[in-house]
Amino acid sequence: MSDPRRIVIIGAGLGGATAAATLRGRGYDGELVVLGAEQHRPYELPPLSKGLLLGDTDEPDWVRDEGFYREHGIDLRAGTSATHIDRGARMVVDSNGDEHSFDRLLLATGSQPRMMPGADQPGVRTLRTLDDSLALRGAFATIERLVIIGAGWIGTEAAAAARRHGVDVTVVDQVAAPLLTVLGPEVAGVFQELHSENGVHWRLGTGVAGIEEGAVRLTDGTSLAADLVLVAVGAAPRVELAHAAGFDLADDGGVAVDATLRTSAPEVYAVGDIASQFHPRYGKRVRVEHWANAKNQGEHVAANLLGGEEPYLRSPYFFSDQYSLGCEYRGLANVDTHRLVVRGDLAKREFIAFWLRAGQVTAAMNVNVWDAGDALKALVDGQVAVTPEQLREADLPALA
Ligand SMILES: Cc1cc2nc3c(=O)[nH]c(=O)nc-3n(C[C@H](O)[C@H](O)[C@H](O)COP(=O)(O)OP(=O)(O)OC[C@H]3O[C@@H](n4cnc5c(N)ncnc54)[C@H](O)[C@@H]3O)c2cc1C
């Protein structure tokens, strides 16, 4: 394919904005249009359930300064959605009726909160955008009882923030412990205890039968009174446009991309939450809904949009902060089949959890331990042969 002169990016979040900035950083001087459905310039989502919701800050972390896009000739159209992709004509139509022709197209439309029946009533919220976060924080000042449906990362982080605001919080989930499916029972127990100590009430192992005005009905026949309900039952990739345009979707719901992040159309790429990548390291499709993935894929795809063929090889990484607990997770483990090894003290909430398969570390999570990041990355990425004893006792940099 010849060098592109017109690149269109759909989605002005972390992945899309990082790709745009990297394209300019690599010397691309053709047309560059970024369409963003939100009125705000691109920002990062993690503070929305942490610092911003806690009230520690009033601004999110912006991906780039306000003047950056103009100064770098990036035609950022905030408040403008892409509504149609005409693949044959290589054209994107936006919500103003404007048409943008492209030589290369990048899809970076992110995710949207999964919904459930009753979630569209007043008094029920989700948390995805800056406006959601500010509205939720405002509500914390006026309500007494919050019911959070979903004990995943967003549900637990929102619970911690609501407790800081003095709100009475109950978290409902059908699983037996918060974050259970990602962390397994031992490590999930650490999070459960932390929240219990901070006054969170749990209704675990219980489904939601319905949301009504002022109450959440549970499948065990009981009801929880709620001034506000936060639905935090996961996110779904926004793939409607890609689907309508005829690009292949993967079984996990994302847009199918190859190792180089290219979709089933050779001139179209996808990054971030929507990208279901065939990941050479894992030999299967991986779709990662995390900050580092959107940022790193956004940086990586720029070279491929300009004609490169480089596979994206990074392993997943994410972080969370809840009360006095901070953690980072690297890799990809199956907690049902990979063996857990703990270095440090679960009860003190100062430890590193490793997951092992066939004598290799598939994932490592440091909790309130901050001097091991490089060694943990090397252990996960290097596929080093290790024993549980070494992981518990040995000098980690030397082991890696
Ligand atoms: C509250 C919250 C907290 C999080 N905390 C963490 C964390 O602590 N650690 C971590 O690793 N990850 C965290 N994440 C996840 C992480 O932020 C996401 O994985 C990452 O932002 C995904 O980036 P993205 O570019 O794929 O999508 P997004 O950042 O969602 O950006 C997509 C953008 O595309 C826009 N868009 C969608 N459709 C269209 C269209 N048709 N036309 C134009 N624009 C469109 C959307 O409005 C949106 O602005 C958090 C997510 C949330 C919601």
Side-chain angles (χ1 to χ4, degrees):
M1 274 190 290
S2 57
D3 284 348
R5 298 305 302 158
R6 292 166 304 181
I7 298 180
V8 173
I9 298 178
I10 304 179
L14 181 57
T18 303
T22 311
L23 280 166
R24 286 299 189 227
R26 285 185 158 271
Y28 169 69
D29 61 1
E31 282 176 32
L32 184 48
V33 175
V34 181
L35 301 175
E38 292 181 58
Q39 294 295 342
H40 309 285
R41 75 177 189 271
Y43 58 88
E44 302 190 2
L45 305 184
L48 308 188
S49 51
K50 304 178 188 66
L52 205 92
L53 201 57
L54 285 158
D56 291 341
T57 173
D58 289 327
E59 287 211 35
D61 293 340
W62 303 105
V63 178
R64 290 290 187 281
D65 292 341
E66 194 164 8
F68 178 89
Y69 303 94
R70 194 178 6 87
E71 285 158 17
H72 290 81
I74 298 171
D75 184 0
L76 172 63
R77 310 265 181 118
T80 307
S81 295
T83 53
H84 177 65
I85 301 168
D86 185 334
R87 189 174 160 184
R90 292 195 174 180
M91 173 93 74
V92 175
V93 183
D94 74 24
S95 47
N96 297 321
D98 291 339
E99 296 177 341
H100 309 274
S101 57
F102 61 83
D103 305 317
R104 303 277 194 286
L105 174 66
L106 177 64
L107 307 173
T109 47
S111 304
Q112 60 203 357
R114 287 190 198 279
M115 299 302 267
M116 55 196 310
D120 52 354
Q121 308 180 47
V124 185
R125 303 286 173 87
T126 54
L127 177 53
R128 181 77 199 177
T129 65
L130 175 55
D131 296 343
D132 292 340
S133 177
L134 292 173
L136 193 58
R137 186 175 89 180
F140 286 167
T142 63
I143 61 166
E144 285 179 15
R145 292 160 306 185
L146 172 71
V147 171
I148 299 177
I149 304 174
W153 292 110
I154 291 184
T156 51
E157 289 181 0
R163 289 301 300 141
R164 160 87 77 86
H165 291 274
V167 177
D168 181 86
V169 178
T170 303
V171 180
V172 183
D173 201 308
Q174 56 202 6
V175 298
L179 302 164
L180 184 67
T181 47
V182 203
L183 301 179
E186 294 90 344
V187 182
V190 173
F191 283 82
Q192 184 167 358
E193 208 175 292
L194 171 71
H195 280 271
S196 299
E197 271 175 25
N198 283 279
V200 169
H201 312 293
W202 300 106
R203 294 300 294 272
L204 297 167
T206 315
V208 170
I211 306 174
E212 292 157 0
E213 208 185 322
V216 176
R217 249 182 328 106
L218 304 183
T219 47
D220 64 5
T222 61
S223 261
L224 293 168
D227 304 318
L228 195 74
V229 177
L230 175 66
V231 175
V233 293
R238 278 182 159 138
V239 295
E240 298 80 4
L241 267 182
H243 181 55
F247 308 136
D248 289 352
L249 299 186
D251 289 346
D252 59 19
V255 176
V257 293
D258 67 10
T260 68
L261 306 172
R262 191 194 297 252
T263 69
S264 53
E267 71 284 11
V268 182
Y269 291 75
V271 294
D273 282 10
I274 60 165
S276 174
Q277 185 213 6
F278 180 80
H279 198 302
R281 174 188 300 277
Y282 300 107
K284 63 175 183 180
R285 289 202 172 281
V286 174
R287 191 172 70 77
V288 180
E289 291 179 2
H290 291 306
W291 172 89
N293 180 67
K295 184 171 184 298
N296 294 332
Q297 286 190 342
E299 281 169 6
H300 186 93
V301 81
N304 291 348
L305 284 164
L306 298 177
E309 293 281 345
E310 286 300 310
Y312 178 81
L313 298 173
R314 285 183 182 245
S315 46
Y317 164 93
F318 69 84
F319 61 93
S320 181
D321 296 307
Q322 309 188 10
Y323 312 102
S324 57
L325 183 154
C327 63
E328 296 176 300
Y329 179 107
R330 295 174 171 83
L332 192 62
N334 178 338
V335 292
D336 296 326
T337 54
H338 300 185
R339 176 174 174 187
L340 173 70
V341 175
V342 176
R343 175 189 179 104
D345 193 337
L346 287 177
K348 279 194 187 149
R349 299 184 195 122
E350 233 177 82
F351 62 90
I352 301 171
F354 296 95
W355 286 270
L356 265 93
R357 187 190 52 198
Q360 293 182 349
V361 177
T362 53
M365 182 185 190
N366 49 308
V367 174
N368 289 342
V369 173
W370 299 110
D371 57 357
D374 290 345
L376 297 181
K377 183 174 184 320
L379 276 171
V380 170
D381 289 349
Q383 296 168 306
V384 184
V386 287
T387 64
E389 293 68 33
Q390 287 175 317
L391 291 176
R392 278 192 214 98
E393 305 294 339
D395 178 53
L396 290 178
L399 194 59

